[in-house]
Amino acid sequence: MIQAKNLHKYYDQLHVLKGVDLHIQKGEIVSIVGASGAGKTTLLQILGTLDKPNSDIGIELRINNEDILSMNDKNLSRFRNLNLGFIFQFHQLLPEFTALENVCIPAYIAKKSKKETEEEAIKLLTYLGLSHRINHKPSELSGGEQQRVAVARALINKPAVIFADEPSGNLDTHSAENLHQLFFKLRDEFGQTFVIVTHNEELANMADRKLVMIDGLISNS
Ligand SMILES: Nc1ncnc2c1ncn2[C@@H]1O[C@H](COP(=O)(O)OP(=O)(O)OP(=O)(O)O)[C@@H](O)[C@H]1O
Ligand SMILES: [Mg+2]
């Protein structure tokens, strides 16, 4: 599902990714752990096509058999909308829309029907324990509630791959466990692939494979 070869990233003089190679199978749940500053978020942003690696000899990035590095911006946006979901700690919900509307937006961009989309959104929000808050705007929700809305939004198009950066960072133990269970349930039901950066030991160890990022490189633990 994801094939990456020789990914490098520099921020000026700082060499953050030092030639990362990675293969992730369809339906696999992979966790990435490592010290702060090791390059985990940088790697996730590049795998998620939100940032570009520095070009280098032998570089490759394929997702769902598509050559990401040769796509223009328009095709890349479309590819992202249809295939990728993002759960980041600094989720950006749109402030003027309700929780339900925020969740539905990626489906409307993909031209899905309103009725079907709303039904699916309500299902997801209910699973995440938010059925009583669907008509509230982000400013009227707690941090953890906003996080869960962002999770539902990431999942609404049933993306093939979900990238999550500290997905349960803002959540209480119970909500975090619920969310982790949802990841596994979705994988079992839809064969979705998950790449999860986390400092949560329990979540990291539940994954099919735990990768450790050390100083810009990945090693299997
Ligand atoms: N936009 C940027 N410009 C310059 N340096 C950056 C930028 N983004 C990240 N860095 C630096 O790159 C290094 C890797 O950052 P990254 O965010 O990938 O770490 P991380 O492994 O996700 O850490 P954490 O666990 O704290 O989230 C850090 O030293 C960081 O300061
Ligand atoms: Mg990070």
Side-chain angles (χ1 to χ4, degrees), residues 11-12 14 16 34-43 165-166 197 199 213:
Y11 292 119
D12 297 320
L14 188 66
V16 179
S36 177
K40 304 179 300 293
T41 295
T42 303
L43 176 62
D165 197 351
E166 290 292 341
V197 168
H199 288 284
M213 186 134 206

PDB file of all heavy atoms in Angstrom, residues 11-12 14 16 34-43 165-166 197 199 213, ligand 1:
ATOM      1  N   TYR A  11      15.743  20.671   6.717  1.00  0.00           N
ATOM      2  CA  TYR A  11      15.267  22.027   7.009  1.00  0.00           C
ATOM      3  C   TYR A  11      16.526  22.872   7.122  1.00  0.00           C
ATOM      4  O   TYR A  11      17.231  22.802   8.125  1.00  0.00           O
ATOM      5  CB  TYR A  11      14.480  22.079   8.317  1.00  0.00           C
ATOM      6  CG  TYR A  11      13.143  21.353   8.272  1.00  0.00           C
ATOM      7  CD1 TYR A  11      12.892  20.281   9.108  1.00  0.00           C
ATOM      8  CD2 TYR A  11      12.136  21.770   7.406  1.00  0.00           C
ATOM      9  CE1 TYR A  11      11.671  19.624   9.077  1.00  0.00           C
ATOM     10  CE2 TYR A  11      10.913  21.112   7.370  1.00  0.00           C
ATOM     11  CZ  TYR A  11      10.691  20.042   8.207  1.00  0.00           C
ATOM     12  OH  TYR A  11       9.482  19.393   8.177  1.00  0.00           O
ATOM     13  N   ASP A  12      16.839  23.620   6.096  1.00  0.00           N
ATOM     14  CA  ASP A  12      18.127  24.321   5.999  1.00  0.00           C
ATOM     15  C   ASP A  12      19.265  23.329   6.236  1.00  0.00           C
ATOM     16  O   ASP A  12      19.371  22.354   5.518  1.00  0.00           O
ATOM     17  CB  ASP A  12      18.191  25.501   6.976  1.00  0.00           C
ATOM     18  CG  ASP A  12      17.129  26.545   6.639  1.00  0.00           C
ATOM     19  OD1 ASP A  12      16.921  26.806   5.441  1.00  0.00           O
ATOM     20  OD2 ASP A  12      16.488  27.062   7.570  1.00  0.00           O
ATOM     21  N   LEU A  14      19.575  21.407   8.837  1.00  0.00           N
ATOM     22  CA  LEU A  14      19.156  20.274   9.672  1.00  0.00           C
ATOM     23  C   LEU A  14      18.695  19.098   8.806  1.00  0.00           C
ATOM     24  O   LEU A  14      17.725  19.214   8.057  1.00  0.00           O
ATOM     25  CB  LEU A  14      18.023  20.738  10.595  1.00  0.00           C
ATOM     26  CG  LEU A  14      17.571  19.756  11.671  1.00  0.00           C
ATOM     27  CD1 LEU A  14      18.657  19.519  12.687  1.00  0.00           C
ATOM     28  CD2 LEU A  14      16.310  20.281  12.363  1.00  0.00           C
ATOM     29  N   VAL A  16      16.799  16.040   8.706  1.00  0.00           N
ATOM     30  CA  VAL A  16      15.802  15.412   9.587  1.00  0.00           C
ATOM     31  C   VAL A  16      15.524  13.963   9.190  1.00  0.00           C
ATOM     32  O   VAL A  16      15.482  13.078  10.034  1.00  0.00           O
ATOM     33  CB  VAL A  16      14.492  16.232   9.599  1.00  0.00           C
ATOM     34  CG1 VAL A  16      13.468  15.566  10.487  1.00  0.00           C
ATOM     35  CG2 VAL A  16      14.761  17.646  10.099  1.00  0.00           C
ATOM     36  N   GLY A  34       9.308   7.039  18.960  1.00  0.00           N
ATOM     37  CA  GLY A  34      10.668   7.590  18.951  1.00  0.00           C
ATOM     38  C   GLY A  34      10.715   8.898  19.711  1.00  0.00           C
ATOM     39  O   GLY A  34       9.674   9.512  19.966  1.00  0.00           O
ATOM     40  N   ALA A  35      11.921   9.309  20.040  1.00  0.00           N
ATOM     41  CA  ALA A  35      12.109  10.509  20.858  1.00  0.00           C
ATOM     42  C   ALA A  35      11.569  11.750  20.153  1.00  0.00           C
ATOM     43  O   ALA A  35      11.459  11.780  18.924  1.00  0.00           O
ATOM     44  CB  ALA A  35      13.590  10.686  21.157  1.00  0.00           C
ATOM     45  N   SER A  36      11.250  12.742  20.941  1.00  0.00           N
ATOM     46  CA  SER A  36      10.825  14.022  20.394  1.00  0.00           C
ATOM     47  C   SER A  36      11.932  14.585  19.511  1.00  0.00           C
ATOM     48  O   SER A  36      13.103  14.581  19.895  1.00  0.00           O
ATOM     49  CB  SER A  36      10.535  14.973  21.569  1.00  0.00           C
ATOM     50  OG  SER A  36      10.187  16.229  21.066  1.00  0.00           O
ATOM     51  N   GLY A  37      11.557  15.035  18.323  1.00  0.00           N
ATOM     52  CA  GLY A  37      12.539  15.605  17.405  1.00  0.00           C
ATOM     53  C   GLY A  37      13.189  14.581  16.485  1.00  0.00           C
ATOM     54  O   GLY A  37      14.012  14.932  15.642  1.00  0.00           O
ATOM     55  N   ALA A  38      12.808  13.310  16.621  1.00  0.00           N
ATOM     56  CA  ALA A  38      13.429  12.260  15.799  1.00  0.00           C
ATOM     57  C   ALA A  38      13.016  12.349  14.328  1.00  0.00           C
ATOM     58  O   ALA A  38      13.690  11.794  13.456  1.00  0.00           O
ATOM     59  CB  ALA A  38      13.072  10.880  16.357  1.00  0.00           C
ATOM     60  N   GLY A  39      11.895  13.018  14.048  1.00  0.00           N
ATOM     61  CA  GLY A  39      11.464  13.171  12.660  1.00  0.00           C
ATOM     62  C   GLY A  39      10.157  12.471  12.325  1.00  0.00           C
ATOM     63  O   GLY A  39       9.795  12.333  11.158  1.00  0.00           O
ATOM     64  N   LYS A  40       9.408  12.062  13.345  1.00  0.00           N
ATOM     65  CA  LYS A  40       8.177  11.283  13.120  1.00  0.00           C
ATOM     66  C   LYS A  40       7.114  12.083  12.379  1.00  0.00           C
ATOM     67  O   LYS A  40       6.525  11.601  11.409  1.00  0.00           O
ATOM     68  CB  LYS A  40       7.613  10.789  14.476  1.00  0.00           C
ATOM     69  CG  LYS A  40       8.612   9.987  15.298  1.00  0.00           C
ATOM     70  CD  LYS A  40       8.032   9.546  16.627  1.00  0.00           C
ATOM     71  CE  LYS A  40       7.581  10.677  17.528  1.00  0.00           C
ATOM     72  NZ  LYS A  40       8.686  11.525  18.019  1.00  0.00           N
ATOM     73  N   THR A  41       6.861  13.298  12.855  1.00  0.00           N
ATOM     74  CA  THR A  41       5.830  14.115  12.204  1.00  0.00           C
ATOM     75  C   THR A  41       6.263  14.476  10.787  1.00  0.00           C
ATOM     76  O   THR A  41       5.461  14.433   9.846  1.00  0.00           O
ATOM     77  CB  THR A  41       5.555  15.389  13.032  1.00  0.00           C
ATOM     78  OG1 THR A  41       5.000  14.989  14.290  1.00  0.00           O
ATOM     79  CG2 THR A  41       4.580  16.316  12.337  1.00  0.00           C
ATOM     80  N   THR A  42       7.534  14.784  10.635  1.00  0.00           N
ATOM     81  CA  THR A  42       8.062  15.110   9.303  1.00  0.00           C
ATOM     82  C   THR A  42       7.820  13.937   8.344  1.00  0.00           C
ATOM     83  O   THR A  42       7.342  14.126   7.225  1.00  0.00           O
ATOM     84  CB  THR A  42       9.581  15.394   9.405  1.00  0.00           C
ATOM     85  OG1 THR A  42       9.774  16.459  10.337  1.00  0.00           O
ATOM     86  CG2 THR A  42      10.166  15.777   8.063  1.00  0.00           C
ATOM     87  N   LEU A  43       8.108  12.730   8.811  1.00  0.00           N
ATOM     88  CA  LEU A  43       7.906  11.549   7.963  1.00  0.00           C
ATOM     89  C   LEU A  43       6.429  11.367   7.618  1.00  0.00           C
ATOM     90  O   LEU A  43       6.071  11.113   6.459  1.00  0.00           O
ATOM     91  CB  LEU A  43       8.438  10.297   8.676  1.00  0.00           C
ATOM     92  CG  LEU A  43       8.191   8.975   7.936  1.00  0.00           C
ATOM     93  CD1 LEU A  43       8.898   8.967   6.574  1.00  0.00           C
ATOM     94  CD2 LEU A  43       8.642   7.788   8.776  1.00  0.00           C
ATOM     95  N   ASP A 165      -1.253  11.335  13.882  1.00  0.00           N
ATOM     96  CA  ASP A 165      -0.130  11.842  14.676  1.00  0.00           C
ATOM     97  C   ASP A 165      -0.641  12.123  16.075  1.00  0.00           C
ATOM     98  O   ASP A 165      -1.410  13.058  16.270  1.00  0.00           O
ATOM     99  CB  ASP A 165       0.426  13.115  14.024  1.00  0.00           C
ATOM    100  CG  ASP A 165       1.823  13.459  14.532  1.00  0.00           C
ATOM    101  OD1 ASP A 165       2.286  12.827  15.506  1.00  0.00           O
ATOM    102  OD2 ASP A 165       2.452  14.355  13.939  1.00  0.00           O
ATOM    103  N   GLU A 166      -0.274  11.310  17.028  1.00  0.00           N
ATOM    104  CA  GLU A 166      -0.747  11.426  18.407  1.00  0.00           C
ATOM    105  C   GLU A 166      -2.280  11.509  18.464  1.00  0.00           C
ATOM    106  O   GLU A 166      -2.813  12.458  19.033  1.00  0.00           O
ATOM    107  CB  GLU A 166      -0.136  12.674  19.067  1.00  0.00           C
ATOM    108  CG  GLU A 166       1.340  12.565  19.326  1.00  0.00           C
ATOM    109  CD  GLU A 166       1.679  11.530  20.393  1.00  0.00           C
ATOM    110  OE1 GLU A 166       0.782  11.157  21.170  1.00  0.00           O
ATOM    111  OE2 GLU A 166       2.826  11.081  20.417  1.00  0.00           O
ATOM    112  N   VAL A 197       1.637   7.620  14.562  1.00  0.00           N
ATOM    113  CA  VAL A 197       2.725   8.097  15.419  1.00  0.00           C
ATOM    114  C   VAL A 197       2.157   8.275  16.810  1.00  0.00           C
ATOM    115  O   VAL A 197       1.119   8.921  16.989  1.00  0.00           O
ATOM    116  CB  VAL A 197       3.272   9.443  14.902  1.00  0.00           C
ATOM    117  CG1 VAL A 197       4.195  10.078  15.935  1.00  0.00           C
ATOM    118  CG2 VAL A 197       4.007   9.244  13.582  1.00  0.00           C
ATOM    119  N   HIS A 199       3.041   8.334  21.329  1.00  0.00           N
ATOM    120  CA  HIS A 199       3.854   8.127  22.534  1.00  0.00           C
ATOM    121  C   HIS A 199       3.123   7.189  23.489  1.00  0.00           C
ATOM    122  O   HIS A 199       3.614   6.901  24.572  1.00  0.00           O
ATOM    123  CB  HIS A 199       4.137   9.464  23.234  1.00  0.00           C
ATOM    124  CG  HIS A 199       5.110  10.333  22.497  1.00  0.00           C
ATOM    125  ND1 HIS A 199       6.463  10.107  22.488  1.00  0.00           N
ATOM    126  CD2 HIS A 199       4.927  11.423  21.708  1.00  0.00           C
ATOM    127  CE1 HIS A 199       7.066  11.032  21.748  1.00  0.00           C
ATOM    128  NE2 HIS A 199       6.152  11.835  21.259  1.00  0.00           N
ATOM    129  N   MET A 213      11.733   5.260  15.369  1.00  0.00           N
ATOM    130  CA  MET A 213      12.461   6.261  14.601  1.00  0.00           C
ATOM    131  C   MET A 213      13.588   6.790  15.481  1.00  0.00           C
ATOM    132  O   MET A 213      13.341   7.288  16.579  1.00  0.00           O
ATOM    133  CB  MET A 213      11.493   7.371  14.224  1.00  0.00           C
ATOM    134  CG  MET A 213      12.105   8.362  13.322  1.00  0.00           C
ATOM    135  SD  MET A 213      11.012   8.731  11.967  1.00  0.00           S
ATOM    136  CE  MET A 213      12.255   9.230  10.807  1.00  0.00           C
TER     137      MET A 213
HETATM  138  N1  LIG B   1       9.096  23.473   9.417  1.00  0.00           N
HETATM  139  C1  LIG B   1      10.250  23.234  10.050  1.00  0.00           C
HETATM  140  N2  LIG B   1      11.318  24.040   9.892  1.00  0.00           N
HETATM  141  C2  LIG B   1      12.492  23.798  10.511  1.00  0.00           C
HETATM  142  N3  LIG B   1      12.694  22.752  11.330  1.00  0.00           N
HETATM  143  C3  LIG B   1      11.679  21.906  11.535  1.00  0.00           C
HETATM  144  C4  LIG B   1      10.405  22.097  10.918  1.00  0.00           C
HETATM  145  N4  LIG B   1       9.580  21.094  11.316  1.00  0.00           N
HETATM  146  C5  LIG B   1      10.309  20.332  12.151  1.00  0.00           C
HETATM  147  N5  LIG B   1      11.567  20.799  12.294  1.00  0.00           N
HETATM  148  C6  LIG B   1      12.645  20.187  13.092  1.00  0.00           C
HETATM  149  O1  LIG B   1      12.862  18.875  12.585  1.00  0.00           O
HETATM  150  C7  LIG B   1      13.092  17.954  13.627  1.00  0.00           C
HETATM  151  C8  LIG B   1      12.079  16.819  13.551  1.00  0.00           C
HETATM  152  O2  LIG B   1      10.790  17.338  13.848  1.00  0.00           O
HETATM  153  P1  LIG B   1       9.485  16.435  13.924  1.00  0.00           P
HETATM  154  O3  LIG B   1       8.338  17.348  14.134  1.00  0.00           O
HETATM  155  O4  LIG B   1       9.449  15.552  12.752  1.00  0.00           O
HETATM  156  O5  LIG B   1       9.791  15.575  15.251  1.00  0.00           O
HETATM  157  P2  LIG B   1       8.879  14.480  15.984  1.00  0.00           P
HETATM  158  O6  LIG B   1       9.638  13.208  15.944  1.00  0.00           O
HETATM  159  O7  LIG B   1       7.518  14.493  15.409  1.00  0.00           O
HETATM  160  O8  LIG B   1       8.866  15.028  17.498  1.00  0.00           O
HETATM  161  P3  LIG B   1       7.644  15.056  18.600  1.00  0.00           P
HETATM  162  O9  LIG B   1       7.604  13.689  19.219  1.00  0.00           O
HETATM  163  O10 LIG B   1       8.125  16.093  19.560  1.00  0.00           O
HETATM  164  O11 LIG B   1       6.394  15.454  17.902  1.00  0.00           O
HETATM  165  C9  LIG B   1      13.042  18.758  14.925  1.00  0.00           C
HETATM  166  O12 LIG B   1      14.360  19.068  15.320  1.00  0.00           O
HETATM  167  C10 LIG B   1      12.272  20.003  14.541  1.00  0.00           C
HETATM  168  O13 LIG B   1      12.679  21.101  15.337  1.00  0.00           O
END
